Amino acid sequence: MYSFNNVPAGSYTIFCIAPGMSIDEGQPITVDNYGNYIRDFTLNQDPNALYSIIVGDLTNAENNQPINGASVFLYAISGIGTQSLLASTYSNQYGQYAFCEVPNGNYNIVITAENYETLTVPIAVTKGGSINELNEALKPSSSSGQPEGTPGTLLGTISGIIKDINNNNTGISGANVVLYRSEEHTSE
């Protein structure tokens, strides 16, 4: 079972992963003020599930505000030190980004954003079926950092049960669940 408490109103995406199981991205969920929501996951056994997730939050190093629209690149590093681009994405308005289905290996995450210094951070994914978090604070390259608004303060709860579809829907312990805000939501 999992639970996220004190979740600000907004739209979110949830990822779930467990060792030996396939990664699952849940349906988007919209949290209203003081709402309680249940989102269960049913995972499939996959003995070849060696993939992980890399997730992170990007903030302004001077004011800790999220950075929206940063370009985030995932490069695989070979044994001889060369790198090749595997994937790219953008941070959302809350500074969040995610790469799914990442095999074990050594990587560089390159982060670029307008008015910020480019940052390259190495990360090693060593355990299949894991969630690897890489949060970074970017330094403004000029005094024109653009702070973002603060999410609402009326909070909700999202919880659920992770089940094994191939084993009579029995509960799975040791699963990881990640919640990422996907867009601004206002409730009347």
Side-chain angles (χ1 to χ4, degrees), residues 58-71 91 93 95 110-120 136-148:
L58 304 177
T59 56
N60 181 314
E62 292 181 355
N63 61 19
N64 206 35
Q65 293 297 311
I67 298 174
N68 181 20
S71 297
S91 61
Q93 68 190 43
V110 178
I111 305 162
T112 64
E114 188 174 349
N115 299 317
Y116 291 91
E117 295 177 7
T118 297
L119 182 64
T120 300
E136 293 297 330
L138 302 183
K139 295 178 184 175
S141 59
S142 67
S143 61
S144 61
Q146 302 170 346
E148 298 286 332

Side-chain angles (χ1 to χ4, degrees), residues 4 6-15 25-32 37 39 92 94 96 151-152 154-156 158 178-185:
F4 296 101
N6 301 318
V7 177
S11 295
Y12 296 87
T13 300
I14 304 174
F15 296 96
E25 178 179 347
Q27 294 295 317
I29 183 170
T30 300
V31 174
D32 290 320
Y37 306 88
R39 291 295 187 267
N92 66 16
Y94 305 100
Q96 301 164 329
L154 304 176
L155 309 174
I158 303 169
V178 177
L179 176 69
Y180 270 89
R181 191 165 190 153
S182 56
E183 63 184 57
E184 185 65 31
H185 171 77

Side-chain angles (χ1 to χ4, degrees), residues 6 9 19 65 69 79 88 111 118 123 130 133 152 168 172 180 186:
N6 301 318
Q65 293 297 311
S88 65
I111 305 162
T118 297
I123 185 169
S130 64
E133 194 168 353
N168 296 322
I172 299 173
Y180 270 89
T186 57

